[in-house]
Amino acid sequence: MVACVGQQAISGHRVPDGFDQRSLPHFKRNSKTPEAKGFVQNSFYSGLTPTEFIFHTMAGREGLVDTAVKTAETGYMQRRLIKSLEDLCLHYDSSVRNSVGEVVQFVYGGDSLDPASMEGINKFETQKKKVDEYCIKKDDDPPEEPVIFERALYHITAKYPCSDELPLDTETLIMLSDEIINESFMDVHENYVSQLRRFFIDQSSRLRRIREKFGTFAMSDVPPVLRHLERVTKTQLQEFLNFCKEKYMKAMIEPGTAVGAICAQSIGEPATQMTLKTFHFAGVASMNITQGVPRIGEIINASKVISTPVITALLDINDDLEFARRVKGRIEKTLLGEVSDYLEEVFLPDSCFILVKLNLERIRLLQLEVNADTILYSICTSNIPEIKGIKPQNITIHKKDVLLVKPFVSSRGTCYYILQQLKEKLPLVVI
């Protein structure tokens, strides 16, 4: 408002040349100055110049059109999703079925838990950055578990002080917890049970550390004040496990829930807040992948041909740059023009040819497994129509980094015409 409005972006780029090699007739041809390319250096307080105002309205118009188009697209997409999933519902055997009883999922979500009842993620000592990190949901973590055990234990120890009981030692804590879990947690998913067991192993190692620090192993001999350090009594343990089981049972999804409609809405609602435009990888050339609404459209329509197919492949040796370059060189399409210093026409009294000078240093750095012989084979087998008639006898390997390509006899034109075609098309040969 007061300092500077800044650069105006249209489709993620500066203002394009829409008027005879310039953005507006007020600028010189091919002008690349900030003013000609949509940089607004005035503030709304000082007032925009007429050209700045036009560029600012161009960017604003794009936003308005984008919003109007996006709501229609995402609305229609959500409607199709809901129509296709509307009959999925949870049955009393905890399976998800459609209106004719076909099973879509045997156990809803793999664990029958309602995502709306999840509290957070339990981080165990192996996953914690700091030893005293609190196990509570971060904004970027999806909440996955119905109870945050650490918080639940604090709650239970505060609610049931049990000051007249002696605390459990580390071995008894694990033994007693295993006993109660085996007895009472028969109908609880094995993942949840294993999380609980991991939590008790964590707690016992924490108790052991504190008791080593203060020398309080024999609890009957220590002063009463030291008994209250990280103490867990038998009653507290029983109440804690009851609380964890109760929370788990409450978090289970109810039969009859319209899980299909909820699923469709859960995809549709964030889609309405997305932008239509594709986003770009910062600083990576030629890596503009389709995201946002167009990508969701591709997924939902199950398009056979997608706009930017991307595969992420893991390397067997993932710490060697040379190895990675070699793999990249084998996979990637490399053109002759990319590894050549120059291609030039040479006219001699008795012959004429195209001289191709290879850059061997670039080939070595990129770990490309090519040489003059493989390039000769690639030229002869190329699918480019203009050079399809070329034969091995038309190409001479002069040195290991120099090839001479002579024009071949063709009904398409004169020798000079063929030479010009070769000069234009040879850089496009895939090697």
Side-chain angles (χ1 to χ4, degrees):
M1 295 295 283
V2 175
C4 159
V5 176
Q7 178 66 49
Q8 302 302 301
I10 293 158
S11 313
H13 299 281
R14 298 206 295 167
V15 176
D17 291 346
F19 186 92
D20 189 30
Q21 301 164 11
R22 53 205 159 154
S23 51
L24 284 175
H26 311 77
F27 303 107
K28 289 187 171 70
R29 281 190 175 79
N30 297 312
S31 174
K32 295 282 182 280
T33 59
E35 300 81 52
K37 282 287 171 188
F39 183 75
V40 180
Q41 61 185 0
N42 284 306
S43 66
F44 289 131
Y45 183 73
S46 59
L48 276 58
T49 64
T51 52
E52 287 176 343
F53 183 75
I54 285 176
F55 294 144
H56 186 56
T57 55
M58 286 169 76
R61 173 74 59 88
E62 187 197 26
L64 293 174
V65 171
D66 196 32
T67 309
V69 173
K70 180 183 66 182
T71 45
E73 270 195 34
T74 54
Y76 180 45
M77 194 182 296
Q78 180 166 348
R79 181 177 179 274
R80 281 168 22 219
L81 267 174
I82 287 180
K83 287 304 290 181
S84 64
L85 299 174
E86 65 188 354
D87 62 336
L88 299 190
C89 104
L90 194 79
H91 284 239
Y92 281 91
D93 60 354
S94 81
S95 66
V96 179
R97 296 170 188 248
N98 63 13
S99 53
V100 293
E102 292 169 342
V103 177
V104 175
Q105 209 173 15
F106 287 105
V107 177
Y108 172 71
D111 55 8
S112 280
L113 295 177
D114 184 355
S117 305
M118 298 297 103
E119 271 187 12
I121 289 184
N122 285 306
K123 287 195 172 77
F124 298 101
E125 296 224 337
T126 49
Q127 302 162 298
K128 289 183 184 180
K129 312 275 188 303
K130 303 188 287 292
V131 176
D132 58 345
E133 185 182 355
Y134 195 68
C135 297
I136 197 151
K137 178 184 172 297
K138 305 280 187 299
D139 287 340
D140 53 344
D141 293 334
E144 287 176 358
E145 280 124 33
V147 186
I148 296 176
F149 299 131
E150 206 164 331
R151 195 165 67 177
L153 187 62
Y154 287 146
H155 168 68
I156 292 296
T157 48
K159 190 175 177 185
Y160 302 96
C162 304
S163 46
D164 52 339
E165 284 185 52
L166 280 177
L168 301 170
D169 60 41
T170 51
E171 288 76 22
T172 317
L173 177 68
I174 289 182
M175 199 170 68
L176 200 58
S177 63
D178 278 353
E179 200 177 294
I180 298 169
I181 287 170
N182 293 336
E183 192 181 304
S184 313
F185 283 67
M186 302 292 285
D187 50 352
V188 173
H189 197 272
E190 60 196 35
N191 284 1
Y192 187 68
V193 172
S194 67
Q195 293 268 49
L196 257 175
R197 291 188 201 276
R198 274 181 74 185
F199 175 70
F200 282 118
I201 291 165
D202 261 22
Q203 282 300 110
S204 66
S205 63
R206 194 160 136 196
L207 284 173
R208 193 178 297 113
R209 274 202 308 272
I210 283 168
R211 288 178 185 177
E212 277 171 5
K213 187 176 176 182
F214 292 99
T216 57
F217 280 106
M219 275 296 164
S220 50
D221 307 338
V222 299
V225 70
L226 283 178
R227 289 181 194 169
H228 286 267
L229 278 172
E230 292 291 335
R231 68 199 285 277
V232 178
T233 68
K234 189 176 177 181
T235 308
Q236 286 173 339
L237 178 65
Q238 182 68 59
E239 290 295 339
F240 171 72
L241 285 167
N242 290 347
F243 179 79
C244 288
K245 185 171 182 190
E246 186 189 345
K247 287 278 269 189
Y248 180 85
M249 290 315 206
K250 279 182 178 173
M252 290 190 78
I253 194 156
E254 293 182 15
T257 307
V259 290
I262 291 171
C263 165
Q265 287 176 347
S266 304
I267 297 169
E269 189 274 333
T272 55
Q273 297 177 24
M274 287 180 184
T275 52
L276 270 178
K277 297 291 160 201
T278 55
F279 294 100
H280 310 287
F281 275 85
V284 181
S286 75
M287 272 290 279
N288 301 341
I289 63 159
T290 308
Q291 287 180 324
V293 176
R295 180 68 190 123
I296 286 188
E298 286 177 352
I299 294 167
I300 288 166
N301 302 337
S303 310
K304 282 193 170 64
V305 181
I306 62 171
S307 50
T308 48
V310 177
I311 293 174
T312 304
L314 296 177
L315 297 172
D316 289 339
I317 304 167
N318 60 5
D319 56 354
D320 184 1
L321 186 62
E322 300 292 310
F323 181 79
R325 282 194 177 136
R326 197 173 307 131
V327 173
K328 179 175 182 274
R330 288 180 183 179
I331 296 170
E332 195 174 40
K333 181 174 82 169
T334 311
L335 305 180
L336 180 57
E338 292 170 357
V339 294
S340 306
D341 276 339
Y342 54 83
L343 285 85
E344 63 178 25
E345 304 154 90
V346 179
F347 294 96
L348 297 175
D350 56 342
S351 71
C352 58
F353 51 82
I354 300 285
L355 187 143
V356 181
K357 174 77 168 71
L358 301 175
N359 187 330
L360 295 180
E361 180 62 15
R362 191 179 302 163
I363 291 172
R364 187 189 65 78
L365 281 174
L366 293 171
Q367 295 286 321
L368 300 173
E369 293 157 332
V370 296
N371 54 37
D373 294 302
T374 62
I375 289 171
L376 185 149
Y377 177 77
S378 299
I379 294 171
C380 292
T381 55
S382 171
N383 289 326
I384 298 172
E386 287 82 356
I387 59 173
K388 228 171 183 176
I390 204 160
K391 299 281 187 290
Q393 54 264 32
N394 295 112
I395 306 170
T396 312
I397 299 173
H398 186 61
K399 284 193 282 187
K400 63 180 181 181
D401 61 343
V402 176
L403 283 92
L404 311 178
V405 185
K406 293 176 183 169
F408 51 92
V409 179
S410 169
S411 58
R412 284 205 299 272
T414 61
C415 181
Y416 179 74
Y417 174 77
I418 299 293
L419 201 68
Q420 294 301 316
Q421 290 274 300
L422 281 174
K423 189 180 179 186
E424 187 185 333
K425 298 296 178 183
L426 275 176
L428 306 177
V429 172
V430 178
I431 58 170

